[in-house]
Amino acid sequence: MELRNFIANEWVAATATRPVIDPATGTVLATVAESSADDVATAVRAAREAFDSGPWRTTTAQARGRILFEMARVVRQHAAALAELETRNCGKPIVESEFDVQDAATCLEYYGGLATKIHGETFSVPDNAINLTLKEPIGVVGLIVPWNYPLLLAMWKLGPALSAGCTVVLKPAEQTPLTILEFARLVREHVPELPPGVLNVVSGDGPVAGRALVESMEVDKIAFTGGTDTGREVLHGVARSNLKKVSLELGGKSPNIFFADCDLDAATDGALFGVFINQGEVCSAGSRVLVQREIAAEFMARMQEKTARIRLGNPLDRATKMGPVVSQEHMERVLAAIARGRQEARLVAGGGRAESLPQGCFVEPTIFESDNAASIAREEIFGPVVTVIPFGDEDDAIRIANDTPYGLAAAVWSRDIFRCLRVVKAVRAGIVWVNTMQPCYVEAPWGGYKQSGHGREMSLHGQEEFLETKQVHINLSETPLGWY
Ligand code: NAD
């Protein structure tokens, strides 16, 4: 199967192609476009035209909303096929892909509804004037997404962008373009109301195609999700070009904090779910488990016992709890981090490649115990690796939790609600869960403090990121100023 770029509702060949690999088996799933800077420029021109002079400008908010509802309907109608494709492409267990696809549709519905709720404000200026704001779409937006939730994270950006009235060029991660291209195919076939050029998809390498989008003088904003170092590159590219607007959803090393009075059974489930879901390839992974010293030994024993029961294997099997990591290259990165961990920390579980599954990129769920200074406690590994860090009292927990350059997420577990709320206030992170970790809703804002990002996705805040605010000042007085 050879898939091309989706530009102005047509399939357009790029300069070169690249294979897309199934990480569970190593087989080639498809060949996709490997876009050059020129290929990206073609897509940007289509988006520019659709925004500047195409019908999208005059499409009403109600019509935009209906188009998003139609997209959501199509996703739900083809949910089973999309989920299977997602699992084959990125390796996540099929049950998780099914969940993600439904979430993707929910996101489109939410922003479909919001299209008609965009509104400005009026301001109390002196009597001889009226002052108000208009909300307007930012323009052409480049959407750059990673490989861990390929379809879902694309919809987190596409939903608010289209709802706001922007046109987009979407670049999937090089490893996982398939569900996004399939989404474009379904939209082309089933949502004919979408004008050409509003949604464009270009696949390709980050430093080539992604960079071309970031540095384009014709793009008004970049909405980026990916690693913190890449986020830095994006900011440099934006500074080198037209100072376009930018929002960044970046990495994390999130603390999952357990006090001695927590329910040990629920807590150890939460510690494992917090980090091992999606093979640990989660930006908000609770990859630092902070455990109060009194319960540390018992906590660790229970984590070890439950980890031994985690079923690794064919991600299309409904009983599988952990699939392969996304690629050979990523597996090698994760294994290198584990090898460093073995030098500096106590290995408690796992610690290598799953030898029983040699055909795919399977890494054992791995637990280390160390202090917060070890590199495995500081660097984002983005794989099934967790570091357990014992702590003394509440102040100690807060100090360790905040001792990181990241600030995406945190969780706190205790039966003492006063303590939980003190920790919620003290931890510098964009989301803090209490007695749970990872639930995520489109109605609520998502984003990071510190080096975990700029701006927020989802909710009303997420839509604001795709809007400009224009102040309008109307003079009501007909008398001359009398200044000259
Ligand atoms: P990555 O930074 O390598 O790639 C992300 C995207 O950026 C890909 O599409 C890639 O092609 C593109 N890219 C790479 N170099 C680029 C460049 N120079 N210019 C423009 N685009 C470029 O990240 P990844 O490995 O795909 O994803 C993992 C990272 O994403 C982790 O750090 C994770 O924490 C982060 N992430 C964050 C969130 C969040 O909501 N905060 C969500 C998911 C993933």
Side-chain angles (χ1 to χ4, degrees):
M1 186 172 39
E2 188 185 324
L3 301 167
R4 299 176 169 192
N5 284 337
F6 182 71
I7 300 176
N9 285 9
E10 299 297 337
W11 298 105
V12 179
T15 321
T17 59
R18 74 152 60 215
V20 178
I21 311 289
D22 176 344
T25 61
T27 53
V28 175
L29 289 169
T31 305
V32 297
E34 178 73 294
S35 305
S36 66
D38 284 347
D39 297 321
V40 172
T42 306
V44 170
R45 266 195 305 279
R48 194 73 261 169
E49 199 177 312
F51 185 80
D52 291 339
S53 47
W56 200 235
R57 269 197 95 67
T58 51
T59 303
T60 62
Q62 287 185 357
R64 290 202 305 275
R66 278 196 297 273
I67 286 172
L68 284 163
F69 290 137
E70 279 303 288
M71 288 179 171
R73 185 183 59 75
V74 169
V75 168
R76 290 205 198 279
Q77 221 166 38
H78 296 84
L82 283 166
E84 184 179 329
L85 190 60
E86 193 78 303
T87 285
R88 284 188 192 280
N89 194 173
C90 72
K92 73 172 68 197
I94 185 70
V95 178
E96 293 186 35
S97 289
E98 287 168 356
F99 194 81
D100 291 356
V101 169
Q102 295 301 331
D103 251 15
T106 303
C107 178
L108 293 170
E109 285 157 357
Y110 176 84
Y111 284 107
L114 270 195
T116 50
K117 280 100 194 157
I118 297 167
H119 55 78
E121 298 166 291
T122 57
F123 299 92
S124 303
V125 293
D127 269 356
N128 62 352
I130 291 177
N131 190 291
L132 53 91
T133 51
L134 299 177
K135 289 291 189 181
E136 298 180 343
I138 277 186
V140 174
V141 187
L143 313 179
I144 302 179
V145 292
W147 44 256
N148 59 336
Y149 290 86
L151 184 69
L152 179 59
L153 293 187
M155 298 305 117
W156 281 19
K157 299 186 189 312
L158 185 69
L162 297 190
S163 170
C166 297
T167 60
V168 312
V169 177
L170 168 54
K171 197 204 82 64
E174 35 280 66
Q175 302 85 346
T176 56
L178 297 187
T179 46
I180 292 172
L181 288 166
E182 177 60 7
F183 171 79
R185 191 189 71 76
L186 291 170
V187 167
R188 182 177 191 261
E189 194 174 319
H190 300 287
V191 192
E193 304 85 348
L194 187 75
V198 175
L199 164 65
N200 306 279
V201 181
V202 290
S203 54
D205 200 30
V208 179
R211 182 173 172 169
L213 206 47
V214 166
E215 297 191 358
S216 168
M217 299 300 280
E218 300 296 320
V219 171
D220 300 298
K221 176 192 162 86
I222 290 290
F224 173 85
T225 299
T228 293
D229 287 342
T230 320
R232 238 182 273 282
E233 282 299 305
V234 168
L235 287 180
H236 282 300
V238 162
R240 273 195 298 269
S241 55
N242 61 348
L243 284 182
K244 55 182 69 66
K245 308 287 185 287
V246 54
S247 50
L248 301 173
E249 295 289 343
L250 307 176
K253 194 76 187 176
S254 298
N256 198 358
I257 309 167
F258 297 89
F259 285 95
D261 65 345
C262 66
D263 178 304
L264 267 187
D265 200 32
T268 44
D269 268 7
L272 297 175
F273 184 83
V275 68
F276 290 151
I277 186 169
N278 204 34
Q279 300 78 239
E281 297 164 323
V282 181
C283 51
S284 55
S287 50
R288 290 186 297 148
V289 164
L290 277 50
V291 184
Q292 201 158 20
R293 215 160 260 128
E294 300 87 293
I295 57 164
E298 169 72 11
F299 200 96
M300 192 72 98
R302 289 197 192 206
M303 273 180 86
Q304 235 174 333
E305 183 200 318
K306 289 181 179 180
T307 299
R309 294 204 297 263
I310 293 175
R311 183 157 163 180
L312 247 76
N314 177 0
L316 289 168
D317 181 341
R318 304 193 73 76
T320 293
K321 290 281 188 277
M322 203 183 271
V325 298
V326 74
S327 65
Q328 177 81 23
E329 190 190 354
H330 187 56
M331 178 174 71
E332 279 159 19
R333 266 200 306 263
V334 173
L335 292 175
I338 291 175
R340 280 199 303 281
R342 281 169 172 275
Q343 307 288 316
E344 59 185 1
R346 185 170 81 85
L347 181 68
V348 177
R353 190 172 177 177
E355 300 298 345
S356 59
L357 298 160
Q359 76 286 11
C361 306
F362 292 89
V363 177
E364 293 174 318
T366 296
I367 305 176
F368 285 106
E369 182 183 350
S370 83
D371 59 22
N372 199 48
S375 73
I376 41 154
R378 305 204 69 79
E379 290 162 17
E380 185 183 40
I381 298 170
F382 219 60
V385 183
V386 62
T387 306
V388 177
I389 304 167
F391 68 84
D393 59 10
E394 188 177 314
D395 286 346
D396 198 24
I398 291 167
R399 182 187 58 73
I400 297 170
N402 283 333
D403 180 14
T404 167
Y406 297 110
L408 185 58
V412 53
W413 300 67
S414 164
R415 290 202 175 93
D416 178 347
I417 189 65
F418 300 108
R419 188 208 309 265
C420 288
L421 294 178
R422 284 194 301 271
V423 173
V424 165
K425 288 190 72 174
V427 171
R428 294 193 30 85
I431 176 163
V432 186
W433 287 284
V434 176
N435 291 326
T436 184
M437 192 174 207
Q438 301 307 359
C440 177
Y441 300 96
V442 66
E443 296 84 355
W446 180 270
Y449 281 28
K450 294 161 53 179
Q451 294 184 34
S452 289
H454 288 186
R456 291 294 178 270
E457 290 202 297
M458 303 207 285
S459 78
L460 297 170
H461 297 265
Q463 189 171 54
E464 194 63 35
E465 301 277 344
F466 293 91
L467 291 165
E468 288 280 20
T469 300
K470 179 178 280 174
Q471 185 203 141
V472 183
H473 184 89
I474 306 160
N475 176 26
L476 301 179
S477 156
E478 292 187 59
T479 35
L481 264 182
W483 193 257
Y484 301 106

